[in-house]
């Protein structure tokens, strides 16, 4: 049993598909298969090797690793490790504002106004602290 090659008048499959077919044709070469099962076993092996080969376009990951990363990012520790501990406090203004808010609320919480608003004094304190933060020059990182 042999595979027919794609002729010049066949519709163009384009880019990656054409490259994969050319790679498969090269791997098959002049080999003939005695049965459909033998051909299927060859194709399975070829596809397995191709899916586990690293690609520069994937930053050194294989197609199988890319599939894992795209569909199961937090369940792929062999592909991607996500740190659950911050190396330093976030320096983003929004994180600082949130810190001020959490500090104002404290461990016991705050009682809202009759209309359900945040109390006036803590709100003023947060706004003053926020203005100081955004108006102060950024810290210089040591070199």
């Amino acid at each position: 049993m042999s595979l027919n090659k794609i002729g010049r008048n066949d519709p163009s499959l384009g880019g990656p598909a054409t490259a994969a077919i050319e790679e498969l044709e090269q791997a098959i070469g002049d080999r003939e298969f005695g049965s459909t099962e033998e051909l299927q076993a060859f194709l399975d092996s070829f596809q397995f090797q191709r899916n586990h080969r690293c690609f520069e376009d994937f930053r050194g990951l294989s197609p199988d690793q890319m599939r894992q990363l795209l569909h199961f990012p937090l369940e792929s520790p062999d592909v991607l490790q996500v740190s659950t501990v911050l190396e330093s406090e976030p320096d983003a203004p929004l994180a600082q504002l949130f810190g001020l808010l959490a500090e104002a609320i404290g461990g016991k919480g705050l009682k809202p106004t009759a209309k359900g608003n945040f109390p006036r004094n803590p709100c003023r304190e947060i706004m003053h602290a926020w203005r100081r933060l955004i108006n102060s020059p950024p810290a210089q990182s040591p070199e």
Side-chain angles (χ1 to χ4, degrees), residues 83-92 95:
S83 176
T84 56
V85 178
L86 296 176
E87 291 179 12
S88 63
E89 285 289 319
D91 194 25

Side-chain angles (χ1 to χ4, degrees), residues 20-99:
I21 289 173
E22 288 172 359
E23 189 178 334
L24 178 59
E25 286 177 344
Q26 190 174 39
I28 292 173
D30 292 334
R31 182 178 301 162
E32 292 201 15
F33 301 95
S35 67
T36 333
E37 291 78 20
E38 189 180 337
L39 171 61
Q40 188 62 54
F42 176 84
L43 292 174
D44 291 344
S45 172
F46 173 82
Q47 193 62 42
F48 180 84
Q49 289 174 5
R50 195 165 196 282
N51 284 343
H52 289 83
R53 183 176 61 210
C54 298
F55 284 91
E56 189 176 320
D57 288 349
F58 294 161
R59 297 192 158 269
L61 296 176
S62 70
D64 188 57
Q65 289 172 316
M66 284 297 292
R67 181 192 57 76
Q68 271 190 268
L69 189 58
L70 289 171
H71 297 286
F72 313 102
L74 300 178
E75 300 167 15
S76 306
D78 56 319
V79 180
L80 174 70
Q81 293 183 356
V82 178
S83 176
T84 56
V85 178
L86 296 176
E87 291 179 12
S88 63
E89 285 289 319
D91 194 25
L94 188 58
Q96 293 172 347
L97 180 61
F98 181 77

Side-chain angles (χ1 to χ4, degrees), residues 114-130:
K115 291 185 178 181
N117 295 325
F118 201 70
R120 183 177 293 177
N121 286 339
C123 203
R124 284 184 179 155
E125 290 172 19
I126 290 171
M127 290 311 296
H128 288 302
W130 173 249

